[in-house]
Amino acid sequence: MYDEAPIVGEAIKLVWAVNPVVPTCEHALEETNIVQINQDGVKKAAEYISLRMFVESYTPRTWQTHPLHICPPEPYTPSEPLTKECLDWIFLISSLNFSFWSERERTEERYGVEWRKGWGKEERTVHTGYWSLVAALNRALEENIPITDPAFYSSEVLCPDSLITHVFRAASQSKETLPLLRERIAIMREVGSILCNDFGESYLGFLNAFQKSRKGQGTALELVQMVTDAFPSFRDERWVNGQRVFFWKRPQILVAETWAAFYPSGSSLPHPFFPKSPGPCISSLTMFADYRVPQILHHLRILVYPQWLEEKLRKGESIEPGSREEVSLRAASVVGVERIRKEILRLTGNVERYGDGEAHGAGPEKEEVSSVLIDFYLWDLAKRIESGEDKIEEVETAGMLPAHRTRSIWY
């Protein structure tokens, strides 16, 4: 019934008018029949999230405020070396953005990377989880190791496995190494070789090819499709009862990070990678089905788990990739965030803007209620709650369960 082997063969050669992640995840949620969605929780959480995002001025430009991010030059200048550096950095991080949970959660012994608290900061700290990946790559760049250059990391001669292992070395107190290191190295070789052989040795070259093929009229969803067509390790897909189910966590987050990092400072300016009508249509993308966002969705009483699944999570038991419960958790997250988005649109009096045949113009979309931005916000919120920096008091919550433990290259 549930195919544990991911789909890594030929990419689908279809152009989707509607993101296939949404209807196929709805199908998977119904077929698995484990995780349920609480519509009352959706409504209350939508009010809370909408207000918090407004009060905190949470916008695509928030991406540039993270201290570990490499930010591009403004205005957009393709010939500026920092533009290519930023894009190659985003691409490699998205290629390796999976499986950071630890067997030693909440202890100093978990895998971590010691580096600065941010670019230009003298104070150092040990970064864990996703930020350990970012810190490791930043540290390597600071040590003059061109680790984000596809021509470098694709080459076993210039960048042997031993050097990559050194790049991801753990902090002195860590008793763990980076999970799935061998798989990460294989992915680096694969995606780097494809960029070098087919796209001029850079993610910028890939984006230029995208724009040329669409005459500047490409959308975010079309860019996601091109990513999955080009790179087998981005094809995050499963079979459920004979139907293909698309999750596309990393291809969507790659496009979303590209969109946010280069989001124009002025509303009249076009997005450099989606310059012509209809624009990026970012609302066509879904949330990024991982293990962190389901955790906060359950805390907000949006996702409801059967008691046996709650017990499994509390005990820290492994959930196998492709299993019925894993598919259900990921599918419910996609559907749940879509319902939050639609409820926020209802609350704010906005309407769907993509797929209705109306032109957006070349500038940034006026409608910023997207599952992408909701996901960014929920992920940040979950991390703040985990660290004790924040808590939810305005709405009723369920106890915070541990994130589900699935070792996978997909998330």
Side-chain angles (χ1 to χ4, degrees), residues 185 193 241 272 337 344:
I185 292 173
S193 296
N241 277 2
V337 172
I344 292 175

Side-chain angles (χ1 to χ4, degrees), residues 150-164 189 193:
F152 181 75
Y153 64 74
S154 64
S155 169
E156 294 184 40
V157 175
L158 297 175
C159 185
D161 291 2
S162 58
L163 179 57
I164 296 176
R189 306 297 189 205
S193 296

Side-chain angles (χ1 to χ4, degrees), residues 22-230:
V22 178
T24 62
C25 281
E26 288 173 344
H27 165 78
L29 182 62
E30 183 177 349
E31 290 293 314
T32 53
N33 192 32
I34 296 176
V35 180
Q36 305 296 322
I37 295 178
N38 173 17
Q39 193 58 34
D40 182 61
V42 168
K43 290 181 178 179
K44 291 176 180 176
E47 293 179 10
Y48 169 78
I49 293 166
S50 179
L51 178 61
R52 287 284 295 261
M53 288 174 69
F54 174 77
V55 169
E56 296 173 27
S57 299
Y58 202 90
T59 73
R61 298 280 296 179
T62 302
W63 189 95
Q64 297 198 16
T65 66
H66 285 277
L68 269 65
H69 283 174
I70 293 179
C71 297
E74 292 186 329
Y76 173 69
T77 310
S79 60
E80 172 68 42
L82 183 56
T83 299
K84 177 182 178 299
E85 181 181 343
C86 176
L87 286 168
D88 284 340
W89 181 86
I90 289 171
F91 180 84
L92 184 57
I93 285 175
S94 295
S95 299
L96 304 179
N97 185 356
F98 55 84
S99 200
F100 300 107
W101 60 266
S102 171
E103 298 282 359
R104 302 171 187 263
E105 209 77 42
R106 300 181 184 277
T107 74
E108 290 186 352
E109 296 182 343
R110 71 171 298 180
Y111 174 75
V113 171
E114 184 179 346
W115 192 63
R116 302 175 185 275
K117 283 196 168 182
W119 290 102
K121 298 180 184 295
E122 291 300 321
E123 191 176 355
R124 304 177 77 85
T125 191
V126 174
H127 301 274
T128 59
Y130 163 78
W131 294 112
S132 66
L133 168 66
V134 179
L137 297 182
N138 289 353
R139 179 179 62 185
L141 292 173
E142 191 173 64
E143 294 171 348
N144 295 316
I145 301 172
I147 193 61
T148 58
D149 183 348
F152 181 75
Y153 64 74
S154 64
S155 169
E156 294 184 40
V157 175
L158 297 175
C159 185
D161 291 2
S162 58
L163 179 57
I164 296 176
T165 301
H166 172 74
V167 165
F168 292 114
R169 66 191 182 275
S172 58
Q173 73 264 33
S174 298
K175 304 290 191 203
E176 296 177 321
T177 57
L178 178 64
L180 302 179
L181 179 58
R182 184 170 56 182
E183 289 82 355
R184 293 177 202 273
I185 292 173
I187 288 172
M188 291 173 74
R189 306 297 189 205
E190 175 207 286
V191 298
S193 296
I194 292 170
L195 286 177
C196 289
N197 294 334
D198 301 336
F199 300 106
E201 302 187 353
S202 72
Y203 181 40
L204 178 59
F206 181 86
L207 291 170
N208 288 339
F210 167 72
Q211 288 191 299
K212 184 177 180 181
S213 69
R214 270 52 173 203
K215 299 180 180 179
Q217 296 177 311
T219 65
L221 179 58
E222 289 171 333
L223 182 54
V224 168
Q225 178 72 69
M226 185 168 164
V227 171
T228 61
D229 287 348

